[in-house]
Amino acid sequence: KSSSDLNVSIRIILTAHAEKRAAQRLITFSQIKLTLEKPGIVLPAYDDKKRYQRNFSQRTLEIVAVRKKSIWLVVTLYYLS
């Protein structure tokens, strides 16, 4: 089977904090989705969370999130300097 045959719906949920920070930092949902699905780098964070990084126009977006089965929970997100 090809990967398209195994198309599983993944939900991305942002905490209230993450929603506020995304709006303040002009981070789009498509950037969040792309960073989580195809990160450039994945690093450990704290507890069961990880830091997902991806470059956008010479800036690195970092998302702190945890994945539980088919759900991503985004805790916070920001650009690295």
Side-chain angles (χ1 to χ4, degrees):
K1 290 191 170 204
S2 71
S3 60
S4 61
D5 293 336
L6 304 172
N7 201 1
V8 175
S9 177
I10 301 291
R11 290 180 57 207
I12 299 173
I13 299 172
L14 279 67
T15 62
H17 170 82
E19 282 187 18
K20 184 177 179 182
R21 294 297 177 250
Q24 288 175 335
R25 296 166 181 156
L26 305 177
I27 299 169
T28 67
F29 186 77
S30 61
Q31 288 175 304
I32 295 167
K33 187 173 188 285
L34 190 58
T35 301
L36 293 173
E37 291 178 348
K38 297 181 181 177
I41 300 172
V42 179
L43 301 167
Y46 56 93
D47 298 333
D48 55 351
K49 295 161 193 66
K50 292 185 179 172
R51 298 178 303 163
Y52 300 86
Q53 296 180 357
R54 185 174 177 95
N55 291 328
F56 291 96
S57 301
Q58 300 181 346
R59 296 181 79 191
T60 301
L61 174 60
E62 182 166 275
I63 299 175
V64 178
V66 60
R67 183 171 177 182
K68 303 243 178 168
K69 298 187 181 180
S70 62
I71 297 174
W72 286 100
L73 178 62
V74 177
V75 177
T76 194
L77 60 169
Y78 43 83
Y79 286 107
L80 301 176
S81 48

Coordinates of all heavy atoms in Angstrom, one line a residue:
K1 N 0.8 -1.2 0.0 CA 0.0 0.0 0.0 C 0.9 1.2 0.0 O 1.9 1.3 0.7 CB -0.9 0.0 1.2 CG -2.0 -1.0 1.2 CD -2.9 -0.7 2.4 CE -4.1 -1.6 2.2 NZ -5.3 -1.1 2.8
S2 N 0.4 2.2 -0.7 CA 1.1 3.5 -0.7 C 0.7 4.3 0.6 O -0.3 4.0 1.2 CB 0.8 4.3 -1.9 OG -0.5 4.8 -1.8
S3 N 1.5 5.3 0.9 CA 1.2 6.1 2.1 C -0.2 6.8 2.0 O -0.8 7.0 2.9 CB 2.3 7.1 2.3 OG 2.4 8.0 1.2
S4 N -0.6 7.1 0.7 CA -1.9 7.7 0.6 C -3.1 6.8 0.9 O -4.1 7.2 1.3 CB -2.1 8.2 -0.9 OG -2.0 7.2 -1.8
D5 N -2.8 5.5 0.8 CA -3.8 4.5 1.3 C -3.9 4.4 2.8 O -4.9 4.0 3.3 CB -3.5 3.1 0.7 CG -3.5 3.0 -0.8 OD1 -4.3 3.8 -1.4 OD2 -2.9 2.1 -1.3
L6 N -2.9 4.9 3.5 CA -2.9 4.8 4.9 C -3.2 6.2 5.5 O -2.7 6.6 6.5 CB -1.5 4.3 5.4 CG -1.1 3.0 4.9 CD1 0.3 2.7 5.3 CD2 -2.1 1.9 5.4
N7 N -3.9 7.0 4.8 CA -4.2 8.4 5.2 C -5.0 8.5 6.5 O -6.2 8.2 6.5 CB -4.9 9.1 4.0 CG -4.8 10.6 4.1 OD1 -4.1 11.1 5.0 ND2 -5.4 11.3 3.2
V8 N -4.3 8.7 7.6 CA -4.9 8.8 8.9 C -5.1 10.3 9.2 O -4.2 11.1 9.1 CB -4.1 8.1 9.9 CG1 -4.6 8.3 11.3 CG2 -3.9 6.7 9.6
S9 N -6.3 10.6 9.7 CA -6.5 12.0 10.1 C -5.8 12.3 11.4 O -6.0 11.6 12.4 CB -8.0 12.2 10.2 OG -8.3 13.5 10.7
I10 N -5.0 13.4 11.4 CA -4.3 13.8 12.6 C -4.9 15.2 13.0 O -5.0 16.1 12.2 CB -2.8 14.0 12.3 CG1 -2.2 12.7 11.8 CG2 -2.1 14.6 13.5 CD1 -2.0 11.6 12.9
R11 N -5.3 15.3 14.2 CA -5.8 16.5 14.7 C -4.7 17.3 15.4 O -3.9 16.8 16.1 CB -7.0 16.3 15.8 CG -8.2 15.7 15.1 CD -9.3 15.4 16.1 NE -9.6 16.7 16.8 CZ -10.1 16.7 18.1 NH1 -10.3 15.6 18.7 NH2 -10.4 17.8 18.7
I12 N -4.7 18.6 15.2 CA -3.8 19.5 15.9 C -4.6 20.4 16.8 O -5.5 21.2 16.3 CB -3.0 20.3 14.8 CG1 -2.2 19.4 14.0 CG2 -2.1 21.3 15.6 CD1 -1.5 20.0 12.8
I13 N -4.3 20.4 18.1 CA -5.0 21.2 19.0 C -4.0 22.2 19.7 O -2.9 21.7 20.1 CB -5.7 20.3 20.1 CG1 -6.7 19.4 19.5 CG2 -6.3 21.2 21.2 CD1 -7.2 18.3 20.4
L14 N -4.4 23.4 19.7 CA -3.5 24.4 20.3 C -4.1 24.8 21.7 O -5.3 25.0 21.8 CB -3.4 25.7 19.5 CG -2.4 25.7 18.3 CD1 -2.9 24.7 17.3 CD2 -2.3 27.1 17.8
T15 N -3.3 24.9 22.7 CA -3.7 25.4 24.0 C -4.1 26.8 23.8 O -3.7 27.5 22.8 CB -2.6 25.2 25.1 OG1 -1.5 26.0 24.7 CG2 -2.2 23.8 25.3
A16 N -4.8 27.4 24.8 CA -5.1 28.8 24.7 C -3.9 29.7 24.6 O -3.8 30.7 23.9 CB -6.0 29.2 25.9
H17 N -2.8 29.3 25.4 CA -1.6 30.0 25.4 C -1.0 29.9 23.9 O -0.5 31.0 23.4 CB -0.6 29.4 26.4 CG 0.8 29.9 26.2 ND1 1.2 31.1 26.8 CD2 1.9 29.4 25.6 CE1 2.5 31.3 26.5 NE2 2.9 30.3 25.8
A18 N -1.0 28.8 23.3 CA -0.4 28.6 22.0 C -1.2 29.4 21.0 O -0.6 30.0 20.1 CB -0.3 27.1 21.6
E19 N -2.5 29.4 21.1 CA -3.3 30.2 20.2 C -3.0 31.7 20.3 O -2.8 32.4 19.2 CB -4.8 30.0 20.5 CG -5.4 28.8 19.9 CD -6.9 28.7 20.1 OE1 -7.5 29.7 20.3 OE2 -7.4 27.6 20.0
K20 N -2.8 32.2 21.5 CA -2.5 33.6 21.7 C -1.1 33.9 21.1 O -0.9 34.9 20.5 CB -2.5 33.9 23.2 CG -2.3 35.3 23.6 CD -2.4 35.5 25.1 CE -2.1 37.0 25.5 NZ -2.2 37.1 26.9
R21 N -0.1 33.1 21.4 CA 1.2 33.3 20.9 C 1.3 33.2 19.4 O 2.0 34.0 18.7 CB 2.2 32.3 21.5 CG 2.4 32.4 23.0 CD 3.0 33.8 23.3 NE 3.1 34.0 24.8 CZ 2.4 34.8 25.5 NH1 1.5 35.5 24.9 NH2 2.6 34.9 26.8
A22 N 0.6 32.3 18.8 CA 0.5 32.2 17.3 C 0.0 33.5 16.7 O 0.6 34.0 15.7 CB -0.3 31.0 16.9
A23 N -1.1 34.1 17.3 CA -1.6 35.3 16.8 C -0.7 36.5 17.0 O -0.4 37.3 16.0 CB -2.9 35.6 17.5
Q24 N 0.0 36.5 18.1 CA 0.9 37.6 18.4 C 2.1 37.6 17.4 O 2.6 38.6 17.0 CB 1.5 37.5 19.8 CG 0.5 37.9 20.9 CD 1.1 37.6 22.3 OE1 1.9 36.8 22.5 NE2 0.5 38.4 23.3
R25 N 2.5 36.3 17.1 CA 3.8 36.2 16.3 C 3.5 35.9 14.8 O 4.4 35.6 14.1 CB 4.6 35.0 16.9 CG 5.0 35.4 18.3 CD 5.5 34.2 19.1 NE 5.9 34.7 20.5 CZ 5.9 33.9 21.6 NH1 5.6 32.7 21.5 NH2 6.3 34.5 22.7
L26 N 2.2 36.1 14.5 CA 1.8 35.9 13.1 C 2.2 34.5 12.5 O 2.7 34.4 11.3 CB 2.4 37.0 12.2 CG 2.0 38.5 12.7 CD1 2.7 39.5 11.8 CD2 0.5 38.7 12.7
I27 N 2.1 33.5 13.3 CA 2.4 32.1 12.8 C 1.1 31.5 12.3 O 0.1 31.5 13.1 CB 3.0 31.3 14.0 CG1 4.3 32.0 14.5 CG2 3.2 29.9 13.6 CD1 4.8 31.4 15.8
T28 N 1.1 31.0 11.1 CA -0.2 30.5 10.5 C -0.3 29.0 10.9 O 0.6 28.3 11.2 CB -0.1 30.6 9.0 OG1 0.9 29.8 8.5 CG2 0.1 32.1 8.6
F29 N -1.6 28.6 10.7 CA -1.9 27.2 11.0 C -1.1 26.3 10.0 O -0.7 25.2 10.4 CB -3.4 26.9 10.9 CG -3.7 25.5 11.3 CD1 -3.7 25.1 12.6 CD2 -4.0 24.5 10.3 CE1 -4.0 23.8 13.0 CE2 -4.2 23.2 10.7 CZ -4.3 22.8 12.0
S30 N -1.0 26.7 8.8 CA -0.3 25.9 7.8 C 1.2 25.8 8.2 O 1.8 24.7 8.0 CB -0.4 26.5 6.4 OG 0.1 27.8 6.3
Q31 N 1.8 26.8 8.8 CA 3.2 26.7 9.2 C 3.3 25.7 10.4 O 4.2 24.9 10.5 CB 3.7 28.0 9.7 CG 4.0 29.0 8.6 CD 4.4 30.4 9.1 OE1 3.6 31.0 9.9 NE2 5.5 30.9 8.7
I32 N 2.3 25.7 11.3 CA 2.3 24.8 12.4 C 2.2 23.4 11.9 O 2.9 22.5 12.3 CB 1.1 25.1 13.4 CG1 1.3 26.5 14.0 CG2 0.9 24.1 14.4 CD1 0.0 27.1 14.7
K33 N 1.2 23.1 11.0 CA 1.0 21.8 10.4 C 2.2 21.3 9.7 O 2.7 20.1 10.0 CB -0.2 21.9 9.5 CG -0.7 20.5 9.0 CD -1.9 20.7 8.1 CE -2.6 19.4 7.7 NZ -1.9 18.7 6.6
L34 N 2.9 22.1 8.9 CA 4.0 21.7 8.2 C 5.2 21.4 9.1 O 5.9 20.4 9.0 CB 4.4 22.8 7.2 CG 5.5 22.4 6.2 CD1 5.1 21.2 5.4 CD2 5.8 23.6 5.3
T35 N 5.4 22.2 10.2 CA 6.4 22.0 11.1 C 6.3 20.7 11.9 O 7.2 19.9 12.1 CB 6.5 23.2 12.1 OG1 6.8 24.4 11.4 CG2 7.7 23.0 13.1
L36 N 5.0 20.4 12.3 CA 4.8 19.1 13.0 C 4.9 17.9 12.1 O 5.4 16.9 12.5 CB 3.4 19.2 13.7 CG 3.3 20.2 14.8 CD1 1.8 20.3 15.2 CD2 4.2 19.9 16.0
E37 N 4.4 18.0 10.9 CA 4.4 16.9 10.0 C 5.8 16.6 9.3 O 6.1 15.5 9.0 CB 3.4 17.0 8.9 CG 1.9 16.9 9.4 CD 0.9 17.2 8.4 OE1 1.2 17.6 7.3 OE2 -0.3 16.9 8.7
K38 N 6.5 17.7 9.0 CA 7.8 17.6 8.4 C 8.8 18.5 9.0 O 9.3 19.5 8.4 CB 7.7 17.9 6.9 CG 6.8 16.9 6.2 CD 6.7 17.2 4.7 CE 5.7 16.2 4.0 NZ 5.5 16.5 2.6
P39 N 9.2 18.2 10.2 CA 10.2 19.1 10.9 C 11.6 18.9 10.3 O 11.9 17.9 9.8 CB 10.1 18.6 12.4 CG 9.7 17.2 12.3 CD 8.8 17.1 11.1
G40 N 12.3 20.0 10.4 CA 13.8 19.9 10.1 C 14.5 19.2 11.2 O 15.4 18.4 10.9
I41 N 14.2 19.5 12.4 CA 14.9 19.0 13.6 C 13.8 18.7 14.7 O 12.9 19.4 14.8 CB 15.9 19.9 14.2 CG1 17.0 20.3 13.1 CG2 16.5 19.4 15.4 CD1 17.9 21.4 13.6
V42 N 14.0 17.6 15.4 CA 13.2 17.3 16.6 C 14.1 17.1 17.7 O 15.0 16.3 17.7 CB 12.3 16.0 16.3 CG1 11.5 15.7 17.6 CG2 11.4 16.1 15.1
L43 N 13.8 17.8 18.8 CA 14.6 17.8 20.0 C 13.8 17.4 21.2 O 12.6 17.8 21.2 CB 15.3 19.1 20.2 CG 16.2 19.6 19.1 CD1 16.6 21.1 19.3 CD2 17.5 18.8 19.1
P44 N 14.4 16.9 22.2 CA 13.6 16.6 23.5 C 13.2 18.0 24.1 O 14.0 18.9 24.0 CB 14.5 15.8 24.3 CG 15.9 16.0 23.8 CD 15.7 16.4 22.4
A45 N 12.1 18.0 24.8 CA 11.7 19.2 25.6 C 11.7 18.7 27.1 O 12.7 18.2 27.6 CB 10.4 19.8 25.1
Y46 N 10.5 18.8 27.7 CA 10.4 18.4 29.1 C 9.2 17.4 29.1 O 8.3 17.4 28.2 CB 10.2 19.6 30.0 CG 9.0 20.5 29.6 CD1 7.7 20.2 30.1 CD2 9.1 21.5 28.6 CE1 6.6 21.0 29.8 CE2 8.0 22.2 28.2 CZ 6.8 22.0 28.8 OH 5.7 22.8 28.4
D47 N 9.2 16.6 30.2 CA 8.1 15.6 30.3 C 8.1 14.8 29.0 O 9.1 14.3 28.6 CB 6.8 16.2 30.6 CG 6.8 16.9 32.0 OD1 7.6 16.6 32.9 OD2 6.0 17.9 32.2
D48 N 6.9 14.6 28.4 CA 6.8 13.8 27.2 C 6.7 14.7 26.0 O 6.4 14.2 24.9 CB 5.6 12.9 27.3 CG 4.3 13.6 27.6 OD1 4.3 14.9 27.9 OD2 3.2 13.0 27.5
K49 N 7.1 15.9 26.1 CA 7.0 16.9 25.0 C 8.3 16.9 24.2 O 9.3 16.5 24.7 CB 6.6 18.3 25.5 CG 5.3 18.3 26.1 CD 5.1 19.5 27.0 CE 3.9 19.4 27.8 NZ 3.9 18.3 28.8
K50 N 8.1 17.4 22.9 CA 9.3 17.5 22.0 C 9.3 18.9 21.4 O 8.2 19.5 21.4 CB 9.3 16.4 21.0 CG 9.6 15.1 21.5 CD 9.7 14.0 20.5 CE 10.0 12.7 21.1 NZ 9.9 11.6 20.1
R51 N 10.4 19.3 20.9 CA 10.5 20.6 20.2 C 10.7 20.3 18.7 O 11.7 19.6 18.4 CB 11.7 21.4 20.8 CG 11.5 21.8 22.2 CD 12.7 22.6 22.8 NE 13.9 21.8 22.6 CZ 15.2 22.3 22.7 NH1 15.4 23.5 22.9 NH2 16.2 21.5 22.5
Y52 N 9.8 20.8 17.9 CA 9.9 20.6 16.5 C 10.3 21.9 15.8 O 9.7 22.9 16.1 CB 8.5 20.2 16.0 CG 8.0 18.9 16.6 CD1 7.4 18.9 17.9 CD2 8.3 17.7 16.0 CE1 7.0 17.7 18.5 CE2 7.9 16.5 16.6 CZ 7.2 16.5 17.9 OH 6.8 15.3 18.5
Q53 N 11.3 21.8 15.0 CA 11.9 23.1 14.4 C 11.8 22.9 12.9 O 12.0 21.9 12.3 CB 13.3 23.3 14.8 CG 13.5 23.6 16.2 CD 15.0 23.8 16.6 OE1 15.8 23.7 15.8 NE2 15.2 24.1 17.9
R54 N 11.5 24.1 12.2 CA 11.5 24.2 10.8 C 11.8 25.6 10.4 O 11.3 26.5 11.0 CB 10.1 23.7 10.2 CG 10.2 23.6 8.7 CD 8.9 23.1 8.1 NE 8.9 23.1 6.7 CZ 9.3 22.1 5.9 NH1 9.7 20.9 6.5 NH2 9.3 22.2 4.6
N55 N 12.5 25.8 9.3 CA 12.9 27.1 8.8 C 11.8 27.6 7.9 O 11.3 26.9 7.0 CB 14.2 27.1 8.1 CG 15.4 26.8 9.0 OD1 15.3 27.2 10.2 ND2 16.4 26.1 8.6
F56 N 11.5 28.9 8.1 CA 10.6 29.7 7.2 C 11.2 31.0 6.9 O 11.4 31.8 7.9 CB 9.2 29.9 7.9 CG 8.4 28.6 8.0 CD1 8.5 27.9 9.2 CD2 7.7 28.2 7.0 CE1 7.7 26.8 9.4 CE2 6.9 27.0 7.1 CZ 6.9 26.3 8.3
S57 N 11.6 31.3 5.7 CA 12.2 32.6 5.3 C 13.3 33.0 6.3 O 13.2 34.1 6.8 CB 11.1 33.7 5.3 OG 10.1 33.3 4.4
Q58 N 14.3 32.2 6.4 CA 15.5 32.5 7.3 C 15.2 32.7 8.7 O 16.0 33.2 9.5 CB 16.2 33.7 6.7 CG 16.7 33.5 5.3 CD 17.5 34.7 4.8 OE1 17.5 35.8 5.3 NE2 18.2 34.5 3.7
R59 N 14.0 32.2 9.2 CA 13.7 32.2 10.6 C 13.3 30.8 11.0 O 12.7 30.1 10.2 CB 12.5 33.1 10.9 CG 12.8 34.6 10.6 CD 11.6 35.5 10.9 NE 11.5 35.7 12.4 CZ 10.5 36.2 13.0 NH1 9.4 36.6 12.3 NH2 10.5 36.4 14.3
T60 N 13.6 30.4 12.2 CA 13.3 29.0 12.6 C 12.2 29.1 13.6 O 12.2 29.7 14.6 CB 14.5 28.4 13.3 OG1 15.6 28.4 12.4 CG2 14.2 27.0 13.8
L61 N 11.1 28.4 13.2 CA 9.9 28.2 14.0 C 10.1 27.0 14.9 O 10.5 25.9 14.5 CB 8.7 28.0 13.2 CG 7.4 27.7 13.9 CD1 7.0 28.8 14.9 CD2 6.2 27.4 12.9
E62 N 9.9 27.2 16.2 CA 10.0 26.1 17.2 C 8.7 25.9 17.8 O 8.1 26.9 18.3 CB 11.1 26.3 18.2 CG 11.2 25.1 19.2 CD 12.5 25.1 20.0 OE1 13.5 24.7 19.5 OE2 12.4 25.6 21.1
I63 N 8.2 24.7 17.8 CA 6.9 24.3 18.4 C 7.2 23.3 19.5 O 7.8 22.3 19.3 CB 5.9 23.7 17.4 CG1 5.7 24.8 16.3 CG2 4.6 23.3 18.0 CD1 4.8 24.3 15.2
V64 N 6.6 23.6 20.7 CA 6.7 22.6 21.8 C 5.3 21.9 21.8 O 4.3 22.5 22.0 CB 7.0 23.2 23.1 CG1 7.0 22.2 24.3 CG2 8.3 24.0 23.1
A65 N 5.4 20.6 21.6 CA 4.1 19.8 21.5 C 4.3 18.4 21.9 O 5.4 17.9 22.1 CB 3.7 19.8 20.0
V66 N 3.2 17.7 22.1 CA 3.2 16.3 22.5 C 2.2 15.6 21.5 O 1.2 16.2 21.2 CB 2.8 16.1 24.0 CG1 1.4 16.6 24.3 CG2 2.9 14.6 24.3
R67 N 2.6 14.4 21.1 CA 1.7 13.7 20.2 C 1.2 12.5 21.0 O 1.9 11.7 21.5 CB 2.4 13.2 19.0 CG 1.4 12.5 18.0 CD 2.0 12.2 16.7 NE 1.1 11.5 15.9 CZ 1.3 11.0 14.7 NH1 2.5 11.3 14.1 NH2 0.4 10.4 14.0
K68 N -0.2 12.3 21.0 CA -0.8 11.2 21.6 C -1.7 10.6 20.6 O -2.7 11.2 20.2 CB -1.6 11.6 22.9 CG -0.8 12.3 23.9 CD -0.7 11.6 25.2 CE 0.2 12.4 26.1 NZ 0.1 12.0 27.5
K69 N -1.3 9.4 20.1 CA -2.0 8.7 19.0 C -2.2 9.7 17.8 O -1.3 10.1 17.2 CB -3.3 8.1 19.6 CG -3.0 7.1 20.6 CD -4.3 6.3 21.0 CE -3.9 5.3 22.1 NZ -5.1 4.6 22.6
S70 N -3.5 10.0 17.5 CA -3.7 10.8 16.3 C -3.9 12.3 16.7 O -4.5 13.0 15.9 CB -4.9 10.3 15.6 OG -6.1 10.4 16.4
I71 N -3.5 12.8 17.8 CA -3.7 14.1 18.2 C -2.3 14.8 18.6 O -1.5 14.2 19.3 CB -4.6 14.2 19.5 CG1 -6.0 13.7 19.1 CG2 -4.7 15.7 20.0 CD1 -6.9 13.6 20.3
W72 N -2.1 16.0 18.0 CA -1.0 16.8 18.4 C -1.5 17.9 19.4 O -2.5 18.5 19.0 CB -0.4 17.6 17.2 CG 0.4 16.8 16.3 CD1 0.0 16.3 15.1 CD2 1.8 16.4 16.4 NE1 1.0 15.6 14.4 CE2 2.1 15.7 15.2 CE3 2.7 16.6 17.3 CZ2 3.4 15.2 15.0 CZ3 4.0 16.1 17.1 CH2 4.3 15.4 15.9
L73 N -0.9 18.0 20.5 CA -1.2 19.1 21.4 C -0.1 20.1 21.5 O 1.0 19.8 21.9 CB -1.5 18.6 22.8 CG -1.9 19.7 23.9 CD1 -3.1 20.4 23.5 CD2 -2.0 19.1 25.3
V74 N -0.3 21.3 20.9 CA 0.7 22.3 20.9 C 0.6 23.2 22.1 O -0.4 23.8 22.4 CB 0.5 23.2 19.6 CG1 1.5 24.4 19.6 CG2 0.6 22.4 18.3
V75 N 1.8 23.2 22.9 CA 1.8 23.9 24.1 C 2.2 25.4 23.9 O 1.6 26.3 24.5 CB 2.8 23.2 25.1 CG1 2.9 23.9 26.4 CG2 2.3 21.7 25.3
T76 N 3.3 25.6 23.1 CA 3.7 26.9 22.8 C 4.5 26.9 21.5 O 4.8 25.8 21.0 CB 4.6 27.5 23.9 OG1 4.7 28.9 23.7 CG2 5.9 26.9 24.1
L77 N 4.7 28.1 20.9 CA 5.4 28.2 19.7 C 6.0 29.6 19.5 O 5.4 30.5 20.1 CB 4.5 27.8 18.5 CG 3.2 28.7 18.2 CD1 2.7 28.3 16.9 CD2 2.2 28.5 19.3
Y78 N 7.2 29.6 18.9 CA 7.9 30.9 18.8 C 9.0 30.8 17.7 O 9.3 29.7 17.3 CB 8.6 31.2 20.2 CG 9.2 30.0 20.8 CD1 10.5 29.6 20.5 CD2 8.5 29.3 21.7 CE1 11.1 28.5 21.0 CE2 9.1 28.1 22.3 CZ 10.4 27.8 22.0 OH 10.9 26.6 22.5
Y79 N 9.5 31.9 17.3 CA 10.6 31.9 16.4 C 11.9 32.0 17.3 O 12.0 32.8 18.2 CB 10.6 33.1 15.5 CG 9.5 32.9 14.4 CD1 8.3 33.7 14.4 CD2 9.8 32.1 13.3 CE1 7.4 33.5 13.4 CE2 8.8 31.9 12.3 CZ 7.6 32.6 12.4 OH 6.7 32.5 11.4
L80 N 12.9 31.3 16.9 CA 14.2 31.4 17.5 C 14.9 32.6 16.9 O 14.7 32.9 15.7 CB 15.0 30.1 17.2 CG 14.4 28.8 17.8 CD1 15.3 27.6 17.4 CD2 14.2 28.9 19.3
S81 N 15.8 33.3 17.7 CA 16.4 34.5 17.1 C 17.5 34.2 16.2 O 17.9 33.1 16.0 CB 16.9 35.3 18.3 OG 17.7 34.6 19.2

